[in-house]
Amino acid sequence: MPAPDLRPLLAFAETLASVARPLARQHFRALRAVETKADRTPVTAADRAIERALRERIAAAFPAHGVLGEEEGPDRPDAEFVWVLDPIDGTKAFASGNPLFGTLIGLVHRGTPVVGVLDAPALGERWSAARGLGAHHGGEPLRVRPGRPLGDAVLYCTSPDSLLLHAGCRRLRQAVAWTTWGGDCIAYGLLARGGADLVVDRGLKPHDWCALVPIVAEAGGVMADWQGRDLVLHGDGAVIAASCRGLLDAALPLLATPDNA
Amino acid sequence: MPAPDLRPLLAFAETLASVARPLARQHFRALRAVETKADRTPVTAADRAIERALRERIAAAFPAHGVLGEEEGPDRPDAEFVWVLDPIDGTKAFASGNPLFGTLIGLVHRGTPVVGVLDAPALGERWSAARGLGAHHGGEPLRVRPGRPLGDAVLYCTSPDSLLLHAGCRRLRQAVAWTTWGGDCIAYGLLARGGADLVVDRGLKPHDWCALVPIVAEAGGVMADWQGRDLVLHGDGAVIAASCRGLLDAALPLLATPDNA
């Protein structure tokens, strides 16, 4: 079976990002209400409006494709192509007027993420990539920075919950130059454009990471689970991104430190 | 003794911010090197260039005034007026291409912070205030949001180091609606513009908080140490900002939880 032509699918993903951006901007710093979901995470009218608009566009253009989104149930999750959507990644930031949030649009082909767009509406920045076609940011090719020793590496973690209490994370934090907190999807975007060396998160859902895999990979980095395996839709949600294989290989044994070490 | 006229001093502080902004933007995402200081925090050419430029302007305009800065030693720290400068607050963010950093310019009169400017060069946003003259953001008056119960409050913490391991912080985190990590000075700016209810930090230096006190106070909020007292230059660096006195009063007893509780 020939590999699918990803060009029109990447162009369509960018169109979706352009549908989402004005909706996000319209609600940013103008929210009237923030609801808390059953899992104690927030959701806003913007999350729901964006996901609805993107699903409508996908259903019209590619009725055979599946959709996994953060806010609504799965639709044809076993289709050959599945769009994986996070209308607002970083809803806590979004809801407090902090511009570090993004819309994530991923496309998975037979289980492999092949197209990814990260659009940051309040920053006016966009990262996009497709397997074999490179990664771009504002029209320029994206490139991670050159590899460096773990002791000089800059680590991003979105949230310290569980991470600070996890022995492996504590060891990794002690080994790097410094750690910066927060950022959600933007942290992966910073890594892809050469601003950071490692991002570590736990408890992620596919909509949090699918779009980021092609971006990081095509920029020259690598994303994996904490055992170094390719990320899969039914994995455990532990994710690491590294600017090079050497840093990944240096970080994984530290993350594997048992909690009673 | 009559109170000083703060208008020309506020205007001068804004001039300093306008000197700093292009220097910060020139280095942002274009850094060649990041040094690590003895305290394991980073410093860049931008931090040093901005502080030098601001000190030159202050010495020329107000030779009798003192200066406390992050990067150079104190100059006339016992003067009636002392400028307290942080050329780049959020250097870790700055150095990784993350726009959540700011230049902080505070003016202290006989120990009391009376003028504050927070300029965010990469966001193109500025917060400014002087005691009795109100607080502004992009020309608009700044106002915290209405008070709400602690259980509905949004908390910001720049770094979980020490906070997650501190019993009082853990209790406060459990009591609020949710916590967002990162942000440095921008978190206080978000509180002042109605996006968050509480900010808690430990280990701050005067250059980290002096400029923020007039901004938060003139926006209708309150900043204090963890005993609820006014912040002083020789305090312990534990800082809390609240959108109203009621939230401060609800948070302080939780922060006072002993570590063996």
Side-chain angles (χ1 to χ4, degrees):
Chain A
M1 189 172 357
D5 179 7
L6 297 177
R7 278 167 222 277
L9 295 164
L10 174 60
F12 180 71
E14 296 230 34
T15 304
L16 294 179
S18 297
V19 167
R21 187 185 280 200
L23 291 170
R25 291 182 70 101
Q26 175 192 325
H27 289 276
F28 184 58
R29 297 186 173 178
L31 284 172
R32 290 218 176 66
V34 180
E35 253 177 78
T36 302
K37 294 189 284 192
D39 63 357
R40 287 198 74 190
T41 63
V43 62
T44 70
D47 298 80
R48 294 200 170 112
I50 292 170
E51 185 163 325
R52 204 172 315 121
L54 300 188
R55 282 176 180 262
E56 280 170 15
R57 295 288 183 125
I58 293 167
F62 299 106
H65 288 193
V67 181
L68 296 178
E70 180 173 14
E71 307 304 339
E72 296 180 31
D75 184 16
R76 302 172 194 262
D78 301 317
E80 180 182 357
F81 287 98
V82 178
W83 294 88
V84 184
L85 308 174
D86 193 345
I88 306 270
D89 180 75
T91 300
K92 289 181 183 177
F94 176 78
S96 57
N98 175 340
L100 290 200
F101 65 90
T103 299
L104 290 172
I105 296 161
L107 178 62
V108 170
H109 179 243
R110 301 185 192 280
T112 299
V114 290
V115 168
V117 175
L118 154 56
D119 191 74
L123 300 178
E125 295 190 62
R126 182 179 296 173
W127 290 255
S128 58
R131 288 275 174 188
L133 299 176
H136 294 83
H137 174 271
E140 296 292 317
L142 266 175
R143 196 70 208 159
V144 295
R145 63 188 180 194
R148 50 173 72 189
L150 189 62
D152 295 336
V154 169
L155 170 66
Y156 261 83
C157 292
T158 295
S159 163
D161 295 311
S162 75
L163 285 192
L164 272 198
L165 306 172
H166 180 277
C169 290
R170 285 203 308 272
R171 265 193 83 191
L172 178 58
R173 286 195 59 215
Q174 286 157 5
V176 299
W178 69 74
T179 306
T180 303
W181 303 96
D184 292 286
C185 57
I186 305 297
Y188 296 83
L190 295 177
L191 180 140
R193 62 190 306 293
D197 307 287
L198 289 166
V199 188
V200 166
D201 278 311
R202 266 175 118 183
L204 297 193
K205 301 280 174 42
H207 55 255
D208 294 314
W209 57 259
C210 269
L212 302 168
V213 171
I215 294 170
V216 170
E218 290 292 317
V222 56
M223 279 179 73
D225 71 11
W226 287 13
Q227 279 77 44
R229 301 171 301 204
D230 283 348
L231 292 163
V232 293
L233 292 181
H234 299 290
D236 65 1
V239 170
I240 179 168
S243 58
C244 65
R245 177 65 59 176
L247 270 175
L248 182 75
D249 290 343
L252 289 176
L254 301 182
L255 282 177
T257 306
D259 264 331
N260 55 6
Chain B
M1 190 173 357
D5 179 7
L6 297 178
R7 277 168 223 276
L9 294 163
L10 173 60
F12 180 71
E14 298 230 32
T15 304
L16 294 179
S18 297
V19 167
R21 187 185 279 200
L23 291 171
R25 291 181 70 103
Q26 175 193 325
H27 289 277
F28 184 57
R29 297 185 174 179
L31 283 174
R32 291 218 175 68
V34 179
E35 254 176 76
T36 302
K37 293 190 283 192
D39 63 355
R40 288 198 73 188
T41 63
V43 63
T44 70
D47 297 80
R48 295 200 170 113
I50 292 170
E51 186 163 323
R52 204 172 316 123
L54 301 188
R55 283 176 180 261
E56 281 170 15
R57 296 289 183 124
I58 293 167
F62 298 106
H65 288 193
V67 181
L68 296 178
E70 180 173 15
E71 308 304 339
E72 296 180 32
D75 183 17
R76 302 171 194 264
D78 301 317
E80 179 182 358
F81 287 99
V82 177
W83 294 89
V84 184
L85 309 174
D86 193 346
I88 305 270
D89 181 74
T91 300
K92 289 180 183 178
F94 176 78
S96 56
N98 175 339
L100 291 200
F101 65 91
T103 298
L104 291 171
I105 296 160
L107 178 63
V108 171
H109 179 243
R110 301 186 191 282
T112 299
V114 291
V115 168
V117 175
L118 155 55
D119 191 74
L123 300 177
E125 294 191 63
R126 182 179 295 173
W127 291 255
S128 58
R131 289 276 173 186
L133 299 177
H136 294 83
H137 174 271
E140 296 292 317
L142 266 176
R143 196 72 207 157
V144 295
R145 64 189 181 193
R148 50 174 70 188
L150 189 61
D152 295 335
V154 169
L155 169 66
Y156 262 83
C157 292
T158 294
S159 164
D161 295 311
S162 75
L163 285 191
L164 273 198
L165 306 172
H166 180 278
C169 290
R170 285 202 307 273
R171 265 193 82 191
L172 179 58
R173 288 197 57 214
Q174 286 158 5
V176 300
W178 70 73
T179 305
T180 303
W181 302 96
D184 292 284
C185 57
I186 306 296
Y188 296 83
L190 295 176
L191 180 141
R193 62 190 307 291
D197 307 287
L198 290 165
V199 188
V200 167
D201 277 310
R202 265 176 120 183
L204 297 193
K205 301 279 172 42
H207 56 254
D208 295 314
W209 58 259
C210 269
L212 302 167
V213 170
I215 294 171
V216 169
E218 290 293 317
V222 57
M223 278 179 74
D225 71 12
W226 287 14
Q227 280 76 45
R229 302 171 300 205
D230 284 348
L231 292 163
V232 292
L233 292 182
H234 300 288
D236 65 1
V239 170
I240 179 168
S243 59
C244 65
R245 178 63 61 175
L247 270 175
L248 182 75
D249 290 343
L252 290 176
L254 300 182
L255 281 177
T257 306
D259 265 330
N260 55 5

